[in-house]
Amino acid sequence: MAEPRVPGSEPDDHLELPCGKTLDPHEIDLGMREYACSCGETHAVVTDVHPPSRFFPESFVVVLQELVETDDEFDEFGTPHLLGVTMEEFPEAVVTHDASDDGAVGYSMLWVTDFDARRLHEIVVELVVELMEHAISHAEDDAAITEFEEQMLEFDVSEFVEQYRRQREFESEHDRAL
């Protein structure tokens, strides 16, 4: 006789983490940003339902969504793209789980990183700044390029992340977009 189970879930449907330990994706809830692993480290957790405003202010997300054209199944630039760029840069440090057939979890995609949530936040910001630098380098306006480069010299990624995380109250269930 078959064992009862949640549709879409497999009994041994575990995700191997970058540290080598495994994780049952059903342990992840939508409010989680970090997973305290049995390896002793804390891994960042991101799901496709986390908005890109987890990393950037809403006003900046709107600009990204207006400027970045996507050529995939997503309607606009978002969290999957941010994690995709991160995976390209750190392929050994990010694992993914496709849960699109698992109605028990509340998300379709899960990413778990070898970094904690704060370090992941810094990496995402650094990578978007690099993308912006690449894009502006193709501009015809030398003054715009110079102005952007000057602004980036003053931009401190760690300080931005610290202030943004403090304003967003990431440790509280009352987290709101800025």
Side-chain angles (χ1 to χ4, degrees), residues 139-150:
E140 305 274 330
D141 185 351
D142 289 339
I145 294 170
T146 302
E147 181 181 349
F148 179 81
E149 289 172 347
E150 288 173 0

Side-chain angles (χ1 to χ4, degrees), residues 44 46 55-56 77-96 111-117 119-128 130-131:
V46 181
F55 302 104
F56 300 103
F77 184 82
T79 300
H81 300 99
L82 294 172
L83 271 291
V85 171
T86 305
M87 286 178 62
E88 284 182 24
E89 193 68 28
F90 300 96
E92 303 298 319
V94 182
V95 295
T96 63
W111 296 269
V112 182
T113 73
D114 204 24
F115 324 109
D116 65 14
R119 180 63 187 132
L120 173 63
H121 195 160
E122 288 177 346
I123 288 169
V124 168
V125 172
E126 290 167 356
L127 292 173
V128 168
E130 284 180 21
L131 290 172

